[in-house]
Amino acid sequence: MTDAVPVDDEPTVPTPPVPADTAGPVVPVTPAVGSPTATVPATVGASAPVPAVPAGDPGDVPEAPPARLWDRMRDDPQYAPEHLALEAVRRLGPEAALWVARTRAERPDATADQLAEQAVRRFVNRARLSGAVSGAAGLPGAVIDVGVLAWTQARLVLHVAAAYGADPVHPDRATDLLVLQKVHKAAETARLALGVAAGRERAGALFGHAAQNPLGRVMLQLGVRLARMAGVRAAKRVFAKVVPGAAIILGTWANSSATKDLAERAQALYREHRGGLPHPRRP
């Protein structure tokens, strides 16, 4: 279980200082309708408060990955994108299927492109807000931000897939996520990494995890891997969020831009292969 699957073009960044205090409180985040309640670990292993989520339409509030997924990614940061993709299909796929069924019932004349655009607008807005919410929380907040962004983007891709008739709970959607988010260049490599991550997940559930690496190294690796998945290619942008004043602007712009780019790739993929992808089973 210790062999690694190489990842293309892994970025290199210097290790920033990390606070060593105890973990802070857990902050609840309002989930989307039809999804389970989730919480954001306030520090992902270090101490710094998570900024309050601003008031507004609960449907536009970005939802954090579930706490168990954060634990899994922290324990195995090398495979954080794979763990996130697997959990997203399990947890968010049914939500996407329900959404498209309800929306088609309400708008029977809507085209697949129109449904996809509706999903894109919804989740680009959430991605933009996630950058504004957690951009000022320092390094731990930056890690939380890219985790929330990657989770929001996974939800977007699965909703787009459902809009074009692809089955959002099919295991191939996890492969699609990793290729669309450029974690892996080829589907074969993505499937291999997902298999390794699934094996490590099962082994961790049975035997527990080995002793943790130093906190600073874990935070750095987790942040870089999630930033890569979320499309924040220059890892220094993520850690530059500790700069006062620039953090919220940078986070908002970077999140929105990366999510729009991902949406275009997802729409192109599912539109092109609409007839050749697994479709939801009919009752």
Side-chain angles (χ1 to χ4, degrees):
M1 294 189 299
T2 57
D3 294 340
V5 176
V7 178
D8 303 310
D9 303 324
E10 182 72 35
T12 302
V13 296
T15 303
V18 179
D21 298 339
T22 58
V26 172
V27 180
V29 178
T30 304
V33 175
S35 63
T37 302
T39 55
V40 183
T43 62
V44 194
S47 63
V50 174
V53 176
D57 182 0
D60 290 333
V61 175
E63 181 192 346
R68 288 185 180 179
L69 175 59
W70 277 117
D71 292 340
R72 199 177 306 141
M73 294 191 297
R74 185 196 60 230
D75 291 337
D76 193 18
Q78 180 181 358
Y79 286 91
E82 288 78 13
H83 289 303
L84 190 147
L86 290 168
E87 185 68 19
V89 172
R90 286 192 294 255
R91 186 177 290 254
L92 304 180
E95 172 197 297
L98 179 61
W99 168 79
V100 79
R102 288 177 174 173
T103 305
R104 286 196 179 281
E106 295 170 356
R107 302 174 57 195
D109 297 331
T111 66
D113 284 332
Q114 289 171 334
L115 294 181
E117 287 294 341
Q118 179 179 337
V120 168
R121 288 193 299 270
R122 177 184 178 189
F123 294 113
V124 166
N125 285 337
R126 290 196 191 185
R128 184 181 297 113
L129 179 58
S130 76
V133 167
S134 60
L139 175 60
V143 175
I144 292 173
D145 180 40
V146 291
V148 172
L149 176 59
W151 189 248
T152 300
Q153 290 180 346
R155 182 177 259 116
L156 180 151
V157 170
L158 293 173
H159 278 66
V160 169
Y164 285 104
D167 188 351
V169 302
H170 193 279
D172 283 351
R173 299 293 82 76
T175 301
D176 294 346
L177 280 170
L178 295 177
V179 175
L180 284 168
Q181 292 177 299
K182 299 185 178 180
V183 176
H184 297 283
K185 293 181 179 179
E188 292 77 8
T189 307
R191 290 192 189 97
L192 175 60
L194 286 166
V196 174
R200 292 161 77 99
E201 178 182 332
R202 289 190 294 270
L206 288 173
F207 306 113
H209 295 277
Q212 289 292 315
N213 290 323
L215 178 59
R217 185 180 303 174
V218 171
M219 287 283 290
L220 175 65
Q221 190 174 12
L222 179 57
V224 169
R225 298 289 285 137
L226 290 176
R228 180 182 177 84
M229 184 181 196
V232 186
R233 294 287 176 265
K236 62 183 180 181
R237 289 180 182 174
V238 178
F239 301 109
K241 291 184 179 184
V242 300
V243 177
I248 291 177
I249 296 175
L250 176 61
T252 301
W253 174 83
N255 287 7
S256 176
S257 176
T259 306
K260 288 179 180 177
D261 289 345
L262 173 64
E264 291 178 2
R265 295 194 298 272
Q267 288 178 273
L269 171 68
Y270 293 116
R271 185 186 295 118
E272 179 182 358
H273 298 284
R274 187 176 179 185
L277 292 167
H279 290 250
R281 298 184 183 91
R282 294 184 181 276

